[in-house]
Amino acid sequence: MKTRRLGKSGFEVSEIGLGCWQLGGDFGPLNEQQAGEILNQARENGINFWDTADVYGDGRSESLIADWRKQHSNTDLKVATKVGRSGRLFPDKFSKQQVKNDIQASAKRLGVECIDLIQLHCVPPQILIDGEIFSWLQDFKHEGLIEHYGASVETIEEGLSCLQDKELASLQIIFNVFRQDAMQQLLPKAAANDVGIIVRLPLASGLLSGKFKANHQFAQSDHRNYNSEGQAFSVGETFSGIPLNKGVELVDGLRNWLPSDWEMAAFALRWVLDHPQVSTVIAGASKPQHVIANCLAADKPSLSTKTHQQLTEFYQQQVKQHIRGQI
């Protein structure tokens, strides 16, 4: 597994990271044994960057990671978590003390004194614009509660706002074949500011795996069921904002450029990795074999310039118009 530098943090992180949202049960039921098998597979494949959040299963994801680390104490990992979406803060109860309390609770669940990377978790845009929350994070960094901080955002505008903070180490964004707008301004500015880019939803909630059919039925506890219209949080977090049936149709259109011996998921992940500003791609996995499949993309050759041009045209002409919510 190749590594890339995560911005000014200096962390050398695996090109393919592990998104741990699934460990919280938000993609359907997943027991402790299954979680352990996924984490084992991740490390066996050289994935050294794991991304979680305090609200994934109300802390369950963080706790499962801590349990795994107790049994693998010599493993060199960078674990990033997030703060800002708990009911104690979101949407309008943000205070320095409560943010600190939530970060301390995450550290306790993770079994660490200092968190490698804390990220603001899609906090309201006005909080980012105000900017005071970044000074809080700077204080927590100087106190030794966190080593570095970043932000996970929902829109390009929010990302650009975060980049105004000079100590920001990372920016987590939605970026995939069906959400390409970050290429224009956000990625170049992040690179200029030495901010590492963490890509989430590289497969658009599994849509770009190419394995779904129209009207696919998801478990009741799966966000692809209960948030299909943005009922629980931003619709852009589910299938990148594209209705499932339309998304399946668009994925079929991508097969025009899919090499004959490639899986669709590897094709989609390789597209993301071909952007040098990207530090790591946090691909989720609900089964160990998903981890293996994700890692295979890092070994694939880069797509041709012509293919990238064709995919950009496809996005602009056929995909972008179907995205719901702000990009």
Side-chain angles (χ1 to χ4, degrees):
M1 175 65 68
K2 300 185 182 78
T3 62
R4 299 185 185 188
R5 183 171 172 274
L6 184 63
K8 60 177 66 72
S9 76
F11 294 161
E12 288 294 327
V13 297
S14 51
E15 288 186 333
I16 299 294
L18 181 68
C20 297
W21 191 359
Q22 280 91 338
L23 272 60
D26 296 309
F27 284 74
L30 188 146
N31 61 40
E32 292 182 9
Q33 180 180 344
Q34 292 170 316
E37 291 171 351
I38 290 169
L39 298 178
N40 285 336
Q41 195 67 65
R43 282 307 295 141
E44 288 174 12
N45 282 269
I47 296 177
N48 73 348
F49 182 79
W50 298 359
D51 175 90
T52 185
D54 58 357
V55 292
Y56 293 169
D58 193 23
R60 182 174 186 261
S61 178
E62 291 176 328
S63 296
L64 287 171
I65 290 171
D67 291 342
W68 186 91
R69 294 185 82 172
K70 289 176 184 176
Q71 302 174 42
H72 304 80
S73 57
N74 295 325
T75 303
D76 182 24
L77 285 176
K78 295 301 180 185
V79 177
T81 191
K82 308 186 196 75
V83 65
R85 293 295 290 196
S86 76
R88 296 174 297 277
L89 293 168
F90 193 87
D92 57 1
K93 298 187 287 293
F94 285 83
S95 70
K96 183 176 182 179
Q97 187 57 54
Q98 190 55 60
V99 170
K100 185 174 184 178
N101 291 346
D102 277 18
I103 294 175
Q104 289 175 324
S106 283
K108 184 176 181 179
R109 284 189 295 270
L110 287 169
V112 299
E113 294 185 2
C114 178
I115 293 175
D116 295 326
L117 176 69
I118 195 74
Q119 303 161 94
L120 298 177
H121 195 180
C122 300
V123 304
Q126 61 268 25
I127 299 292
L128 300 176
I129 294 170
D130 174 78
E132 185 179 8
I133 197 168
F134 293 108
S135 69
W136 301 348
L137 295 175
Q138 289 166 15
D139 288 345
F140 304 152
K141 178 180 176 182
H142 298 152
E143 293 169 10
L145 177 58
I146 60 177
E147 189 169 355
H148 296 284
Y149 66 84
S152 178
V153 298
E154 293 175 340
T155 69
I156 300 296
E157 184 177 356
E158 290 169 9
L160 292 172
S161 179
C162 291
L163 288 175
Q164 296 181 41
D165 182 79
K166 297 190 181 303
E167 289 194 38
L168 192 82
S170 66
L171 192 61
Q172 185 176 141
I173 63 172
I174 301 171
F175 185 55
N176 57 54
V177 175
F178 285 170
R179 287 288 288 272
Q180 299 187 21
D181 294 75
M183 289 191 296
Q184 306 306 317
Q185 187 178 0
L186 186 63
L187 294 188
K189 187 168 184 179
N193 291 8
D194 197 18
V195 173
I197 292 293
I198 301 168
V199 171
R200 74 177 185 278
L201 297 176
L203 299 181
S205 306
L207 182 61
L208 286 165
S209 70
K211 296 179 180 180
F212 295 153
K213 302 295 184 182
N215 300 312
H216 185 96
Q217 296 298 308
F218 297 95
Q220 188 173 359
S221 59
D222 193 318
H223 77 97
R224 293 170 293 188
N225 177 3
Y226 68 77
N227 194 57
S228 61
E229 302 295 329
Q231 304 96 312
F233 42 82
S234 171
V235 70
E237 299 287 347
T238 301
F239 301 128
S240 291
I242 298 172
L244 174 59
N245 290 354
K246 173 53 68 172
V248 169
E249 177 185 323
L250 291 170
V251 169
D252 285 340
L254 289 177
R255 298 186 192 282
N256 294 323
W257 301 286
L258 182 67
S260 59
D261 57 343
W262 285 40
E263 295 289 336
M264 181 63 72
F267 181 64
L269 288 168
R270 187 66 253 176
W271 181 90
V272 177
L273 288 171
D274 281 351
H275 295 83
Q277 302 96 333
V278 171
S279 297
T280 186
V281 181
I282 49 172
S286 56
K287 298 179 181 179
Q289 52 264 43
H290 294 166
V291 176
I292 298 172
N294 292 339
C295 291
L296 289 175
D299 293 329
K300 295 288 188 182
S302 295
L303 303 178
S304 69
T305 299
K306 181 178 180 180
T307 297
H308 274 282
Q309 291 172 342
Q310 292 171 324
L311 292 175
T312 296
E313 291 173 3
F314 179 75
Y315 172 71
Q316 293 292 342
Q317 297 172 8
Q318 299 190 48
V319 178
K320 189 172 180 178
Q321 61 185 300
H322 298 292
I323 298 175
R324 298 167 297 174
Q326 189 177 358
I327 295 175

